[in-house]
Amino acid sequence: MTLVENMSEPERRSWATLIVDVAVFSIFLKSMLRNGGVEHLSGKELIELYILIIIASIVLHIVIAIVFSARAKTSGYESDERDLAIERKGARNGFWVVGTAINVIIFMFLMENGVSGYYVPVPGLSFLTPSHMFFGLMSTMFLGDIVYRVTMVQAYRRDAA
């Protein structure tokens, strides 16, 4: 395994962002998943959780941006074509995860509403309640970003090997 001091700045930033995303997603999961399934929260509780998660994500990403911006001034590192290609690959993979998950959510929602007598939802995966829809959509956002960052980290790891 490569030591932190042997990593490029974009790789370090990818790791930092991945760690932050997983940490905030873990807080989200802990808040939403109780008693063996998605907790039915009131509209007020969903709004409060949404604001908490969004603010936590924004603040932590700003801290990462400030730290790496300050480091860029002292290190003199400039991104090259490889960094841009890795970023594009991560964004593409994250996009596919988000697009696929959104289409699954739409399909399941339409099936539950359109042919409820013939469609049996997967236990615990119903999108008819606000809590379940919120959980599905927010999880999709987090998973897309996590796949984006994991793709970048893996690409840097392959290049370092």
Side-chain angles (χ1 to χ4, degrees):
M1 174 165 245
T2 303
L3 298 174
V4 173
E5 50 272 358
N6 296 335
M7 293 179 189
S8 67
E9 286 299 300
E11 183 179 2
R12 287 184 190 131
R13 187 173 185 156
S14 295
W15 272 108
T17 307
L18 176 61
I19 291 166
V20 163
D21 287 344
V22 169
V24 174
F25 187 43
S26 296
I27 292 168
F28 171 73
L29 290 176
K30 185 177 178 189
S31 300
M32 289 295 299
L33 298 175
R34 298 184 205 143
N35 303 322
V38 176
E39 185 76 14
H40 289 282
L41 302 175
S42 70
K44 181 180 182 236
E45 291 171 315
L46 290 172
I47 291 169
E48 289 170 354
L49 179 58
Y50 177 73
I51 290 171
L52 170 75
I53 296 300
I54 295 301
I55 289 175
S57 293
I58 289 170
V59 168
L60 292 170
H61 282 85
I62 287 172
V63 168
I64 290 170
I66 290 170
V67 167
F68 282 93
S69 178
R71 288 178 56 91
K73 290 177 184 174
T74 59
S75 72
Y77 183 86
E78 290 187 35
S79 294
D80 57 14
E81 296 83 18
R82 186 194 89 188
D83 295 322
L84 294 174
I86 289 171
E87 178 115 14
R88 279 193 302 270
K89 182 178 181 181
R92 183 181 64 237
N93 290 350
F95 170 80
W96 280 106
V97 167
V98 169
T100 301
I102 292 291
N103 277 291
V104 168
I105 290 169
I106 290 169
F107 175 79
M108 290 176 69
F109 179 77
L110 293 175
M111 294 301 287
E112 286 181 272
N113 281 293
V115 290
S116 59
Y118 300 101
Y119 176 74
V120 179
V122 177
L125 280 176
S126 171
F127 295 107
L128 294 180
T129 68
S131 289
H132 283 87
M133 184 62 77
F134 176 71
F135 178 76
L137 295 174
M138 285 297 287
S139 294
T140 296
M141 286 177 36
F142 275 110
L143 291 174
D145 201 43
I146 288 169
V147 166
Y148 174 25
R149 299 301 169 180
V150 165
T151 299
M152 291 178 67
V153 165
Q154 285 180 337
Y156 284 117
R157 295 288 85 227
R158 264 193 306 277
D159 288 353

